[in-house]
Amino acid sequence: MSMKKERILLKRMKGKVHLVKKCKENQTEITEFILVGFSSTGKLQIVLFWVFLATYLVTIIGNLLIVITVLTDRSLRTPMYFFLGNLSFLEIWYATNLVPRLLFGMVTKDNVVSFAGCMMQFYLFGALAVAECLLLTVMSYDRYLAICKPLHYMTLMDGKVCTQLSAGSWASGFIGTSITVCLLSNLNFSGPNEIDHFFCDITSLIKVSCSDTYLVEIMVFSFSSAVSLIPFLLILTSYICILRAILRIPSDTGRQKAFSTCSSHLIIVSTFYGTLIAMYVVPSAAHPLVLNKVISLLYTVVTPMLNPIVYSLKNKEVHEALKKLLSAVLVATRRL
């Protein structure tokens, strides 16, 4: 074992000993938590507030435009854009679950959240994160069928199948996460109530629990691995098949057109899965708390904002549909 790993484990053991002492001193059950968030002061705090606010507004407006465009434009009534609409709708709630509370705490300095509120925030975060993992996998499967099996595409990916795959992704997220929340809510929280994070993250909650968290940590690791690594491997397999099919296309124009339908999805997948695996599959002791917050920002704030930007810039059909929608809105406002 390296000296670095020994120092990390020693620090973690000292932290546990300190936590046990705190739990023995305070036997009162915790009813609220304090989110430490970003403990910067002065000008940096103001800069962070405006950055997060701008990011949130871009996320909401951009994803809402994608949803409206997919619903109203007939040229986008295909499986690919049906799943994109689902993803954009998910991103709206994903960001809304976390960012407004963060902004509120930065303005009012009130970082107190009730126990029930904390569990609910984590439940929504976990359920939406799992649903996003599965939706991204479904989207890669859709691209695989469209490029590798074009003659059977509309038969294999009809309206009924699309609805089932979408509903299955959403249901799996909410049902699967409910098990984790039940385990977490049954832990004993009677020690320190400060969570060194900007939202109620499960790893931070486990650290302040007075119970033996070994079983919960094993469950979290197993569940996180199942809903991140397995879909990621399926996506990787899909894209290996897609790449082989694209390379067999004789014309450069054909190859470019086929790849352009996948490039937006690849960018979102790389950002989301890379940060998610780094956060929840790599042991939490391997990276410091500040890095945890930075990684969390990438998949909770940055990725939802990237979705509409990437798809509107990289996808010509979405770009044209958005232009038509915005033109129609401008014409309607002028008439008013």
Side-chain angles (χ1 to χ4, degrees):
M1 186 182 292
S2 66
M3 290 292 292
K4 187 178 179 181
K5 286 185 178 179
E6 285 181 0
R7 285 197 298 270
I8 290 170
L9 288 172
L10 185 62
K11 186 178 179 181
R12 195 173 184 183
M13 287 172 67
K14 285 180 179 178
K16 280 290 182 184
V17 171
H18 180 69
L19 181 60
V20 169
K21 287 180 180 178
K22 286 277 187 180
C23 290
K24 286 180 179 179
E25 290 171 5
N26 183 18
Q27 297 297 320
T28 308
E29 195 74 18
I30 286 174
T31 58
E32 58 188 28
F33 293 102
I34 299 170
L35 298 173
V36 174
F38 295 92
S39 54
S40 55
T41 55
K43 291 183 179 179
L44 181 58
Q45 188 81 355
I46 295 169
V47 170
L48 286 174
F49 171 81
W50 287 110
V51 168
F52 293 148
L53 178 61
T55 304
Y56 178 64
L57 291 174
V58 170
T59 301
I60 298 302
I61 295 168
N63 281 293
L64 193 59
L65 281 172
I66 294 283
V67 172
I68 294 169
T69 304
V70 169
L71 289 173
T72 56
D73 198 299
R74 290 186 178 183
S75 66
L76 300 184
R77 290 181 184 175
T78 63
M80 175 181 170
Y81 297 113
F82 171 76
F83 294 126
L84 176 59
N86 270 265
L87 182 64
S88 293
F89 182 71
L90 183 148
E91 299 287 28
I92 291 169
W93 292 107
Y94 196 56
T96 301
N97 180 43
L98 304 176
V99 181
R101 184 65 189 81
L102 172 62
L103 295 174
F104 176 78
M106 293 176 83
V107 171
T108 64
K109 309 300 179 187
D110 179 11
N111 295 314
V112 177
V113 58
S114 67
F115 181 86
C118 198
M119 291 298 119
M120 179 55 71
Q121 188 187 55
F122 167 69
Y123 176 61
L124 290 174
F125 161 74
L128 293 170
V130 173
E132 181 160 2
C133 284
L134 298 176
L135 273 174
L136 289 172
T137 309
V138 168
M139 290 173 79
S140 71
Y141 175 64
D142 170 71
R143 291 299 83 209
Y144 162 75
L145 291 178
I147 294 170
C148 299
K149 299 182 183 295
L151 298 177
H152 305 286
Y153 176 59
M154 294 312 296
T155 306
L156 294 171
M157 193 62 77
D158 60 13
K160 184 179 179 182
V161 173
C162 288
T163 304
Q164 288 174 342
L165 288 171
S166 174
S169 299
W170 284 91
S172 298
F174 281 91
I175 294 168
T177 307
S178 63
I179 299 168
T180 307
V181 172
C182 286
L183 289 170
L184 187 64
S185 60
N186 285 322
L187 293 177
N188 178 27
F189 294 95
S190 58
N193 66 339
E194 278 196 355
I195 297 175
D196 195 3
H197 216 306
F198 62 89
F199 72 100
C200 293
D201 176 59
I202 190 165
T203 53
S204 301
L205 286 166
I206 286 173
K207 284 176 183 176
V208 298
S209 171
C210 296
S211 303
D212 180 4
T213 59
Y214 178 75
L215 178 62
V216 177
E217 287 187 72
I218 293 295
M219 286 288 293
V220 170
F221 177 78
S222 302
F223 184 63
S224 300
S225 299
V227 299
S228 59
L229 286 177
I230 294 173
F232 181 73
L233 290 173
L234 291 172
I235 291 171
L236 192 62
T237 304
S238 296
Y239 273 104
I240 289 170
C241 296
I242 288 168
L243 184 61
R244 288 172 63 186
I246 289 174
L247 291 174
R248 286 199 294 267
I249 298 172
S251 67
D252 291 338
T253 308
R255 284 197 295 270
Q256 190 176 3
K257 187 178 178 181
F259 185 74
S260 67
T261 64
C262 307
S263 57
S264 304
H265 182 254
L266 267 174
I267 293 168
I268 300 299
V269 165
S270 302
T271 308
F272 182 76
Y273 270 101
T275 52
L276 202 66
I277 290 170
M279 187 69 191
Y280 292 103
V281 178
V282 176
S284 58
H287 33 68
L289 288 170
V290 176
L291 185 59
N292 278 358
K293 293 179 187 179
V294 174
I295 293 171
S296 298
L297 277 175
L298 288 174
Y299 67 83
T300 58
V301 178
V302 177
T303 303
M305 180 187 68
L306 278 179
N307 179 43
I309 294 172
V310 168
Y311 272 97
S312 60
L313 292 176
K314 300 287 287 183
N315 191 295
K316 288 183 179 179
E317 289 177 315
V318 174
H319 186 71
E320 290 301 318
L322 281 171
K323 280 174 67 176
K324 283 197 293 183
L325 177 66
L326 292 173
S327 297
V329 171
L330 286 171
V331 169
T333 52
R334 283 172 185 171
R335 287 176 181 175
L336 293 173

